[in-house]
Amino acid sequence: MKKIIVLLLSITWFNVNGQTSDTTKIDSAKLLALPDTVRHLESKAASYIAPAVFVTYGALSLFVKPIRDVDIHVYNDMQEDHPNFHNHIENYLQYAPAAMVYGLNLAGIQGKNTFVDRTILYGMSVGIMSFTTFTLKKVTHRLRPDGSNSYSFPSGHTANAFAAAEFMAQEYSEKSPWYGIAGYSFATATAILRVYNRDHWFSDIVAGAGVGILSTKAAYLIYPLFRNKLFHDKNSNKNSLIMPTYTNGVAGFAFVKQL
Protein backbone atom coordinates (compact mmCIF):
# COMPACT_ATOMS: atom_id res chain seq x y z
CA MET A 1 0.00 0.00 0.00
CA LYS A 2 3.00 2.31 0.40
CA LYS A 3 3.39 2.16 -3.38
CA ILE A 4 -0.23 3.24 -3.81
CA ILE A 5 0.28 6.24 -1.53
CA VAL A 6 3.46 7.33 -3.31
CA LEU A 7 1.89 6.93 -6.76
CA LEU A 8 -1.26 8.87 -5.97
CA LEU A 9 0.51 11.64 -4.05
CA SER A 10 2.70 12.18 -7.11
CA ILE A 11 -0.39 13.64 -8.77
CA THR A 12 -0.13 16.58 -6.40
CA TRP A 13 3.26 17.64 -7.76
CA PHE A 14 2.18 17.52 -11.42
CA ASN A 15 -1.12 19.31 -10.89
CA VAL A 16 -0.43 21.82 -8.12
CA ASN A 17 2.74 22.96 -9.87
CA GLY A 18 1.18 22.78 -13.33
CA GLN A 19 -1.33 25.61 -12.88
CA THR A 20 -0.93 29.00 -14.56
CA SER A 21 0.83 31.82 -12.72
CA ASP A 22 -1.48 34.62 -13.92
CA THR A 23 -2.40 36.72 -10.89
CA THR A 24 -5.13 38.91 -12.42
CA LYS A 25 -7.59 39.85 -9.69
CA ILE A 26 -11.33 39.29 -10.00
CA ASP A 27 -13.80 41.37 -7.98
CA SER A 28 -15.81 38.94 -5.84
CA ALA A 29 -17.31 41.52 -3.51
CA LYS A 30 -20.81 40.94 -4.85
CA LEU A 31 -21.68 37.31 -4.41
CA LEU A 32 -23.83 37.00 -7.54
CA ALA A 33 -22.35 39.81 -9.63
CA LEU A 34 -20.53 38.56 -12.71
CA PRO A 35 -17.79 40.45 -14.53
CA ASP A 36 -18.25 40.57 -18.28
CA THR A 37 -15.59 37.94 -18.85
CA VAL A 38 -14.15 34.98 -16.96
CA ARG A 39 -10.44 34.21 -16.98
CA HIS A 40 -9.18 31.50 -19.29
CA LEU A 41 -7.83 29.01 -16.78
CA GLU A 42 -5.38 26.80 -18.58
CA SER A 43 -2.86 24.37 -17.14
CA LYS A 44 0.67 23.76 -18.28
CA ALA A 45 1.14 20.76 -20.54
CA ALA A 46 3.05 18.86 -17.83
CA SER A 47 -0.02 18.80 -15.58
CA TYR A 48 -1.87 16.62 -18.12
CA ILE A 49 0.78 13.90 -18.10
CA ALA A 50 -0.12 12.25 -14.78
CA PRO A 51 -3.91 11.97 -15.31
CA ALA A 52 -3.41 10.77 -18.90
CA VAL A 53 -1.02 8.06 -17.69
CA PHE A 54 -3.47 7.03 -14.96
CA VAL A 55 -6.38 6.66 -17.36
CA THR A 56 -4.18 4.72 -19.78
CA TYR A 57 -2.94 2.42 -17.02
CA GLY A 58 -6.48 1.71 -15.91
CA ALA A 59 -7.64 0.98 -19.45
CA LEU A 60 -4.72 -1.40 -20.04
CA SER A 61 -5.65 -3.35 -16.91
CA LEU A 62 -8.76 -4.52 -18.77
CA PHE A 63 -6.65 -6.27 -21.42
CA VAL A 64 -3.07 -6.72 -20.19
CA LYS A 65 -2.61 -9.63 -17.79
CA PRO A 66 0.57 -8.40 -16.01
CA ILE A 67 -1.20 -5.14 -15.11
CA ARG A 68 -4.27 -7.03 -13.96
CA ASP A 69 -2.00 -9.26 -11.87
CA VAL A 70 -0.96 -6.14 -9.93
CA ASP A 71 -4.60 -5.73 -8.89
CA ILE A 72 -4.67 -9.27 -7.56
CA HIS A 73 -1.34 -8.84 -5.78
CA VAL A 74 -2.44 -5.61 -4.05
CA TYR A 75 -5.74 -7.20 -3.06
CA ASN A 76 -4.07 -10.29 -1.61
CA ASP A 77 -1.59 -8.18 0.37
CA MET A 78 -4.40 -6.07 1.76
CA GLN A 79 -6.41 -9.16 2.71
CA GLU A 80 -3.42 -10.60 4.51
CA ASP A 81 -2.52 -7.43 6.41
CA HIS A 82 -6.00 -5.99 7.10
CA PRO A 83 -8.59 -8.76 6.71
CA ASN A 84 -11.21 -7.08 8.92
CA PHE A 85 -10.82 -3.47 7.85
CA HIS A 86 -14.15 -1.70 7.44
CA ASN A 87 -14.46 2.09 7.54
CA HIS A 88 -16.37 4.07 4.94
CA ILE A 89 -15.30 7.57 5.95
CA GLU A 90 -14.33 8.07 2.29
CA ASN A 91 -18.03 8.58 1.60
CA TYR A 92 -17.49 12.00 3.19
CA LEU A 93 -13.80 12.61 2.45
CA GLN A 94 -14.50 12.70 -1.29
CA TYR A 95 -16.33 16.02 -0.85
CA ALA A 96 -13.76 17.63 1.44
CA PRO A 97 -11.75 19.55 -1.22
CA ALA A 98 -14.88 21.17 -2.70
CA ALA A 99 -16.19 22.03 0.77
CA MET A 100 -12.83 23.63 1.58
CA VAL A 101 -13.09 25.89 -1.47
CA TYR A 102 -16.37 27.36 -0.26
CA GLY A 103 -15.15 27.43 3.33
CA LEU A 104 -12.13 29.50 2.32
CA ASN A 105 -14.39 31.82 0.36
CA LEU A 106 -16.63 32.33 3.40
CA ALA A 107 -13.50 33.05 5.46
CA GLY A 108 -12.66 35.89 3.08
CA ILE A 109 -9.95 34.12 1.07
CA GLN A 110 -11.01 34.68 -2.52
CA GLY A 111 -10.22 32.20 -5.29
CA LYS A 112 -9.82 32.93 -8.98
CA ASN A 113 -13.49 33.19 -9.80
CA THR A 114 -16.74 34.59 -8.45
CA PHE A 115 -19.14 32.40 -6.49
CA VAL A 116 -21.41 31.84 -9.49
CA ASP A 117 -18.59 31.10 -11.94
CA ARG A 118 -16.82 28.66 -9.64
CA THR A 119 -20.10 26.91 -8.83
CA ILE A 120 -20.89 26.45 -12.53
CA LEU A 121 -17.34 25.25 -13.16
CA TYR A 122 -17.58 22.69 -10.37
CA GLY A 123 -21.01 21.59 -11.58
CA MET A 124 -19.65 21.08 -15.09
CA SER A 125 -16.71 19.13 -13.71
CA VAL A 126 -18.99 16.80 -11.71
CA GLY A 127 -21.26 16.40 -14.73
CA ILE A 128 -18.41 15.41 -17.04
CA MET A 129 -16.94 13.09 -14.41
CA SER A 130 -20.27 11.43 -13.61
CA PHE A 131 -21.14 10.82 -17.26
CA THR A 132 -17.68 9.38 -17.97
CA THR A 133 -17.54 7.08 -14.97
CA PHE A 134 -21.12 5.84 -15.39
CA THR A 135 -20.54 5.09 -19.07
CA LEU A 136 -17.30 3.23 -18.37
CA LYS A 137 -18.88 1.23 -15.57
CA LYS A 138 -21.67 0.11 -17.90
CA VAL A 139 -19.29 -0.73 -20.74
CA THR A 140 -16.51 -2.49 -18.82
CA HIS A 141 -18.80 -4.41 -16.43
CA ARG A 142 -15.94 -5.30 -14.07
CA LEU A 143 -16.81 -7.25 -10.90
CA ARG A 144 -15.93 -5.53 -7.62
CA PRO A 145 -13.45 -7.30 -5.28
CA ASP A 146 -16.24 -7.98 -2.79
CA GLY A 147 -18.44 -9.41 -5.56
CA SER A 148 -21.34 -7.03 -4.79
CA ASN A 149 -21.89 -5.87 -8.39
CA SER A 150 -20.17 -5.33 -11.74
CA TYR A 151 -19.60 -1.56 -11.56
CA SER A 152 -16.02 -1.56 -10.32
CA PHE A 153 -14.19 0.30 -13.12
CA PRO A 154 -13.42 3.12 -12.64
CA SER A 155 -13.85 4.22 -9.03
CA GLY A 156 -16.56 6.88 -8.85
CA HIS A 157 -15.59 7.97 -5.32
CA THR A 158 -12.00 8.44 -6.43
CA ALA A 159 -13.00 10.31 -9.59
CA ASN A 160 -15.23 12.63 -7.58
CA ALA A 161 -12.52 13.25 -4.97
CA PHE A 162 -9.82 14.05 -7.53
CA ALA A 163 -12.19 16.25 -9.54
CA ALA A 164 -12.77 18.25 -6.34
CA ALA A 165 -9.04 18.31 -5.56
CA GLU A 166 -8.24 19.70 -9.00
CA PHE A 167 -11.06 22.23 -8.53
CA MET A 168 -9.40 23.42 -5.34
CA ALA A 169 -5.99 23.53 -7.01
CA GLN A 170 -7.35 25.59 -9.91
CA GLU A 171 -9.02 28.09 -7.60
CA TYR A 172 -6.33 28.50 -4.95
CA SER A 173 -2.93 27.21 -6.09
CA GLU A 174 -1.85 30.72 -7.10
CA LYS A 175 -2.21 31.85 -3.50
CA SER A 176 -0.31 28.85 -2.10
CA PRO A 177 0.54 25.36 -3.39
CA TRP A 178 -0.47 24.02 0.03
CA TYR A 179 -4.13 24.43 -0.83
CA GLY A 180 -3.73 22.05 -3.75
CA ILE A 181 -1.67 19.65 -1.65
CA ALA A 182 -4.40 19.59 1.01
CA GLY A 183 -7.07 18.84 -1.58
CA TYR A 184 -5.08 16.06 -3.19
CA SER A 185 -4.29 14.55 0.21
CA PHE A 186 -8.01 14.09 0.90
CA ALA A 187 -8.46 12.64 -2.59
CA THR A 188 -5.60 10.19 -2.08
CA ALA A 189 -7.03 9.06 1.25
CA THR A 190 -10.39 8.48 -0.46
CA ALA A 191 -8.79 6.33 -3.15
CA ILE A 192 -6.80 4.20 -0.71
CA LEU A 193 -9.85 3.57 1.47
CA ARG A 194 -11.80 2.33 -1.56
CA VAL A 195 -9.19 -0.43 -1.94
CA TYR A 196 -9.06 -1.19 1.78
CA ASN A 197 -12.84 -1.54 1.88
CA ARG A 198 -12.70 -4.03 -1.04
CA ASP A 199 -14.91 -1.81 -3.19
CA HIS A 200 -12.31 -1.39 -5.94
CA TRP A 201 -9.20 -2.85 -7.49
CA PHE A 202 -5.99 -0.83 -7.61
CA SER A 203 -6.39 -0.04 -11.32
CA ASP A 204 -9.94 1.20 -10.64
CA ILE A 205 -8.73 3.97 -8.34
CA VAL A 206 -5.81 4.87 -10.61
CA ALA A 207 -8.19 5.32 -13.56
CA GLY A 208 -10.69 7.17 -11.35
CA ALA A 209 -8.02 9.66 -10.30
CA GLY A 210 -7.19 10.40 -13.94
CA VAL A 211 -10.84 10.76 -14.95
CA GLY A 212 -11.51 13.16 -12.07
CA ILE A 213 -8.57 15.45 -12.80
CA LEU A 214 -9.24 15.56 -16.54
CA SER A 215 -12.95 16.27 -15.96
CA THR A 216 -12.16 19.41 -13.99
CA LYS A 217 -9.54 20.53 -16.48
CA ALA A 218 -12.08 20.06 -19.27
CA ALA A 219 -14.61 22.21 -17.42
CA TYR A 220 -12.07 25.01 -16.96
CA LEU A 221 -11.18 24.89 -20.65
CA ILE A 222 -14.75 24.67 -22.01
CA TYR A 223 -16.64 27.08 -19.74
CA PRO A 224 -14.87 30.34 -20.77
CA LEU A 225 -15.60 29.61 -24.43
CA PHE A 226 -19.35 30.16 -24.08
CA ARG A 227 -19.31 32.17 -20.83
CA ASN A 228 -17.35 35.05 -22.32
CA LYS A 229 -19.49 35.13 -25.46
CA LEU A 230 -22.66 35.26 -23.38
CA PHE A 231 -21.61 38.00 -20.96
CA HIS A 232 -18.77 39.88 -22.63
CA ASP A 233 -19.27 43.43 -23.85
CA LYS A 234 -15.92 44.75 -25.01
CA ASN A 235 -17.22 48.34 -25.09
CA SER A 236 -18.39 48.32 -21.49
CA ASN A 237 -17.09 47.47 -18.04
CA LYS A 238 -20.57 47.01 -16.59
CA ASN A 239 -21.45 43.91 -14.63
CA SER A 240 -24.16 41.35 -15.13
CA LEU A 241 -26.25 39.77 -12.41
CA ILE A 242 -27.71 36.32 -11.92
CA MET A 243 -30.40 36.00 -9.24
CA PRO A 244 -32.21 32.87 -8.00
CA THR A 245 -36.00 32.94 -8.51
CA TYR A 246 -38.95 30.92 -7.22
CA THR A 247 -42.34 31.42 -8.88
CA ASN A 248 -45.42 29.22 -8.59
CA GLY A 249 -43.38 26.33 -7.23
CA VAL A 250 -40.75 26.55 -9.98
CA ALA A 251 -37.15 27.41 -9.10
CA GLY A 252 -34.80 29.06 -11.58
CA PHE A 253 -32.45 31.96 -12.29
CA ALA A 254 -33.02 35.47 -13.60
CA PHE A 255 -30.32 37.11 -15.71
CA VAL A 256 -29.93 40.91 -15.75
CA LYS A 257 -27.30 42.76 -17.79
CA GLN A 258 -26.78 46.48 -17.35
CA LEU A 259 -26.90 48.30 -20.69
Side-chain angles (χ1 to χ4, degrees):
M1 295 306 296
K2 292 181 179 179
K3 294 180 180 178
I4 299 177
I5 297 172
V6 172
L7 178 61
L8 292 176
L9 282 177
S10 68
I11 306 170
T12 304
W13 175 258
F14 281 100
N15 290 282
V16 171
N17 292 281
Q19 312 305 327
T20 57
S21 59
D22 183 5
T23 57
T24 303
K25 294 182 179 179
I26 295 177
D27 182 11
S28 300
K30 296 180 180 179
L31 186 64
L32 297 177
L34 300 177
D36 281 333
T37 59
V38 65
R39 289 170 57 190
H40 288 269
L41 302 178
E42 298 182 1
S43 298
K44 296 178 181 179
S47 69
Y48 292 89
I49 296 175
V53 169
F54 294 151
V55 172
T56 301
Y57 178 91
L60 289 175
S61 73
L62 298 170
F63 311 102
V64 181
K65 188 178 184 301
I67 295 179
R68 182 58 174 156
D69 288 342
V70 173
D71 287 342
I72 306 300
H73 178 71
V74 171
Y75 177 79
N76 290 338
D77 281 352
M78 182 272 299
Q79 281 283 79
E80 181 179 345
D81 296 337
H82 306 279
N84 299 315
F85 184 88
H86 184 77
N87 189 324
H88 284 283
I89 193 175
E90 78 273 13
N91 290 336
Y92 307 99
L93 288 180
Q94 62 178 318
Y95 301 108
M100 290 168 66
V101 170
Y102 290 98
L104 288 168
N105 193 223
L106 288 174
I109 304 175
Q110 301 298 332
K112 290 179 179 179
N113 293 289
T114 63
F115 175 86
V116 171
D117 280 328
R118 84 165 60 94
T119 301
I120 295 174
L121 281 162
Y122 182 56
M124 287 182 62
S125 169
V126 171
I128 295 170
M129 178 274 299
S130 298
F131 175 79
T132 303
T133 54
F134 178 78
T135 301
L136 289 173
K137 284 176 181 291
K138 295 289 288 185
V139 171
T140 58
H141 207 62
R142 172 182 279 180
L143 187 67
R144 292 183 187 272
D146 63 2
S148 59
N149 60 50
S150 298
Y151 298 114
S152 187
F153 182 90
S155 168
H157 280 66
T158 303
N160 188 48
F162 277 88
E166 177 64 14
F167 170 59
M168 186 173 188
Q170 287 282 353
E171 289 294 321
Y172 284 101
S173 62
E174 290 179 0
K175 293 187 177 297
S176 172
W178 288 104
Y179 290 121
I181 291 172
Y184 272 99
S185 295
F186 279 109
T188 300
T190 298
I192 293 172
L193 285 169
R194 295 306 282 168
V195 175
Y196 268 87
N197 282 308
R198 301 163 188 80
D199 291 306
H200 287 286
W201 304 100
F202 174 66
S203 59
D204 295 341
I205 65 170
V206 173
V211 169
I213 296 169
L214 292 176
S215 295
T216 297
K217 288 184 181 296
Y220 273 83
L221 289 172
I222 295 170
Y223 178 59
L225 298 180
F226 65 85
R227 164 67 168 80
N228 290 344
K229 289 183 179 180
L230 178 63
F231 292 92
H232 181 50
D233 180 359
K234 62 183 179 181
N235 296 319
S236 172
N237 292 321
K238 297 175 181 177
N239 283 343
S240 304
L241 183 69
I242 287 182
M243 299 180 62
T245 62
Y246 186 82
T247 306
N248 297 325
V250 179
F253 288 93
F255 167 59
V256 179
K257 183 174 178 64
Q258 188 175 6
L259 302 176

